[in-house]
């Protein structure tokens, strides 16, 4: 990760040391929330005067607030509009108040970034959209998006990559395309439903890439095996499948829909048909469909016709275990290490890295 010297210098003018400024930049961009042990991890300091001075400055300047949650503990929230404006990111949603689950997710995310500062991250929505649409030349319609309804006098707003999970780019050499590592951050959810929804939202973008990696980040390994199976079923299998089989499925489902045989279609079939309709469009597919529907094109001939479209993909999946997420007490620093010290579990990998 390369810090923008101007942004760091701007934060320093608010009264912070270079280490403090760099840490605050990471919190502002990636999390919005932090606990003191994360500052100590980044700075290499020990509990005591330095961490007390840092949190004291933040509170006295009105740049953070301490948020306490019933039966959970508390965290610092970096909400100062002035600080975000100094780094040109005053509209980041990290400034706003969020749910406990969101905060847990952001703390796990920040732990991951702190352990992997050697990678290049696409930090903002603008940077991500520019990378995929301008650098890679992909259409915006394949990007994961969410529509936010406006007020009575404003139009709805379409936003991209609203999850803000780490997105890493590895530029191997000037002659090859950059390799992207996507990710999902699990703060300790009971099921993989959120993960499955995340993969579904990214599938149109994944289809455009021949090579990419995916990283499942969590503070517990309980879902690691199931997450890999979920990725294989929802992403790897369809992307590496024989395209002719998918086209044949599309033709069959489309034919059933056009003949109003809705009872033969499951909810999954309908969703798949919607996406397939976007993928398989154009005169070539239309001509083949009508020839197949009329019986002029056999299944064997159809497979032979589209055999050359078999994909040649390189997909990688990996899991990353970070320190267990723990909220703290407001006087945790004065009380010593016990309240907010990172988990000492031997399973925690403090420097886990993305797949290459």
């Amino acid at each position: 990760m390369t810090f923008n010297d101007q942004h760091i210098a701007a934060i320093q003018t608010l009264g912070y040391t270079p280490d403090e400024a760099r840490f605050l930049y990471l919190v502002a961009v990636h999390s919005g929330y932090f606990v003191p042990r994360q500052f100590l991890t980044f700075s290499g300091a020990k509990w005591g005067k330095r961490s007390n001075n840092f949190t004291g400055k933040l509170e006295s300047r009105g740049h953070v607030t301490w948020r306490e949650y019933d039966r959970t503990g508390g965290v610092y929230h970096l909400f100062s509009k002035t600080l975000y404006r100094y780094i040109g990111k005053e509209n980041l949603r990290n400034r706003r108040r969020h749910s406990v689950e969101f905060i847990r997710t952001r703390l796990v995310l920040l732990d991951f970034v702190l352990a992997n500062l050697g990678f290049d991250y696409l930090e903002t929505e603008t940077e991500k959209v520019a990378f995929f649409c301008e650098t890679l030349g992909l259409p915006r319609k394949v990007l994961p998006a969410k529509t936010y309804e406006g007020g009575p006098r404003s139009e709805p707003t379409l936003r991209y990559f609203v999850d803000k999970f780490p997105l890493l780019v590895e530029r191997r050499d000037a002659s090859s395309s950059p390799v992207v590592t996507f990710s999902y951050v699990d703060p300790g959810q009971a099921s993989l439903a959120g993960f499955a929804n995340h993969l579904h939202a990214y599938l149109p973008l994944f289809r455009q890439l021949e090579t990419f990696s995916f990283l499942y980040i969590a503070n517990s390994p309980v879902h690691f095996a199931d997450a890999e199976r979920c990725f294989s079923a929802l992403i790897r299998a369809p992307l590496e499948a024989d395209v002719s089989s998918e086209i044949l499925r599309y033709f069959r489902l489309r034919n059933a829909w056009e003949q109003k045989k809705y009872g033969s279609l499951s909810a999954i079939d309908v969703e798949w048909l919607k996406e397939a309709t976007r993928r398989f469009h154009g005169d070539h597919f239309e001509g083949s469909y009508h020839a197949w529907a009329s019986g002029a094109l056999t299944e064997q001939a159809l497979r032979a016709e589209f055999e050359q479209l078999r994909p040649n993909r390189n997909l990688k999946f990996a899991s990353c275990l970070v320190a267990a997420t723990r909220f703290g007490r407001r006087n945790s620093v004065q009380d010593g290490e016990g309240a907010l010290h990172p988990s000492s579990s031997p399973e925690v990998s403090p420097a886990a890295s993305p797949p290459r």
Side-chain angles (χ1 to χ4, degrees):
M1 173 181 291
T2 302
F3 290 96
N4 184 303
D5 291 340
Q6 290 183 332
H7 290 161
I8 302 306
I11 297 176
Q12 285 184 251
T13 65
L14 297 174
Y16 298 103
T17 68
D19 272 355
E20 292 170 347
R22 283 189 286 269
F23 177 75
L24 290 175
Y25 180 87
L26 293 175
V27 173
V29 171
H30 295 284
S31 174
Y33 297 85
F34 74 95
V35 291
R37 69 154 176 87
Q38 292 174 317
F39 170 67
L40 299 179
T41 297
F42 175 78
S43 64
K46 297 184 181 298
W47 294 91
K49 183 178 179 180
R50 184 173 178 182
S51 53
N52 286 338
N53 287 343
F54 176 52
T55 54
K57 280 194 292 186
L58 282 166
E59 291 189 275
S60 66
R61 288 165 170 74
H63 295 158
V64 302
T65 186
W66 177 261
R67 302 208 181 280
E68 195 85 28
Y69 298 88
D70 291 342
R71 297 182 298 278
T72 301
V75 295
Y76 282 107
H77 181 199
L78 183 64
F79 73 95
S80 168
K81 189 172 184 177
T82 298
L83 192 148
Y84 282 86
R85 186 175 66 249
Y86 272 38
I87 60 175
K89 295 176 172 59
E90 60 185 300
N91 294 320
L92 283 180
R93 292 177 175 268
N94 290 342
R95 292 183 50 247
R96 303 181 182 181
R97 297 193 65 164
H98 300 91
S99 67
V100 171
E101 182 175 351
F102 178 94
I103 296 170
R104 288 188 185 279
T105 302
R106 296 298 126 177
L107 292 180
V108 174
L109 192 161
L110 182 58
D111 275 328
F112 171 80
V113 172
L114 293 177
N116 293 280
L117 293 173
F119 293 90
D120 290 330
Y121 296 84
L122 297 178
E123 296 179 341
T124 65
E125 175 186 7
T126 300
E127 290 175 353
K128 293 172 183 178
V129 171
F131 174 77
F132 288 106
C133 296
E134 297 174 16
T135 302
L136 299 187
L138 303 181
R140 283 193 179 223
K141 66 180 181 180
V142 304
L143 304 181
K146 182 177 180 180
T147 301
Y148 291 90
E149 295 299 330
R153 299 181 180 179
S154 60
E155 296 293 326
T157 302
L158 190 64
R159 302 296 301 274
Y160 300 94
F161 301 98
V162 296
D163 54 84
K164 293 183 171 59
F165 292 150
L167 206 164
L168 292 65
V169 176
E170 183 181 3
R171 296 175 172 86
R172 294 175 177 172
D173 56 65
S175 62
S176 61
S177 298
V179 177
V180 184
T181 295
F182 299 91
S183 70
Y184 177 82
V185 179
D186 178 0
Q189 295 168 331
S191 74
L192 290 176
F195 179 52
N197 289 336
H198 180 80
L199 294 179
H200 181 76
Y202 273 74
L203 182 56
L205 174 55
F206 292 161
R207 289 192 183 279
Q208 304 296 316
L209 305 174
E210 291 186 359
T211 301
F212 68 88
S213 297
F214 194 95
L215 190 61
Y216 184 89
I217 304 166
N219 56 14
S220 166
V222 65
H223 289 316
F224 281 179
D226 288 339
E228 184 166 10
R229 283 191 286 269
C230 182
F231 180 85
S232 293
L234 298 182
I235 303 299
R236 190 185 302 279
L239 294 192
E240 294 182 347
D242 177 3
V243 176
S244 64
S245 295
E246 291 197 297
I247 294 173
L248 185 59
R249 181 187 180 192
Y250 164 61
F251 285 178
R252 288 169 176 165
L253 294 180
R254 174 178 170 179
N255 189 253
W257 182 269
E258 291 179 351
Q259 294 186 25
K260 303 187 186 304
K261 296 179 180 179
Y262 305 128
S264 65
L265 303 175
S266 67
I268 294 178
D269 287 336
V270 174
E271 286 299 316
W272 191 91
L273 179 59
K274 288 180 181 178
E275 203 230 325
T277 301
R278 291 193 294 269
R279 290 176 57 206
F280 304 127
H281 67 278
D283 294 341
H284 188 186
F285 292 109
E286 284 298 305
S288 297
Y289 170 72
H290 291 295
W292 171 85
S294 67
L297 181 65
T298 65
E299 177 179 328
Q300 182 177 4
L302 184 146
R303 290 187 180 277
E305 179 179 347
F306 290 100
E307 177 66 24
Q308 71 274 14
L309 295 180
R310 182 182 295 274
N312 181 22
R313 299 185 187 276
N314 181 14
L315 314 184
K316 295 180 180 179
F317 177 92
S319 300
C320 177
L321 186 65
V322 300
T325 303
R326 299 172 64 181
F327 286 54
R329 299 194 306 275
R330 179 144 194 184
N331 61 348
S332 58
V333 177
Q334 288 80 2
D335 286 348
E337 297 187 30
L340 281 177
H341 198 275
S343 169
S344 59
S345 167
E347 294 183 348
V348 172
S349 174
S353 299
R356 287 184 175 271

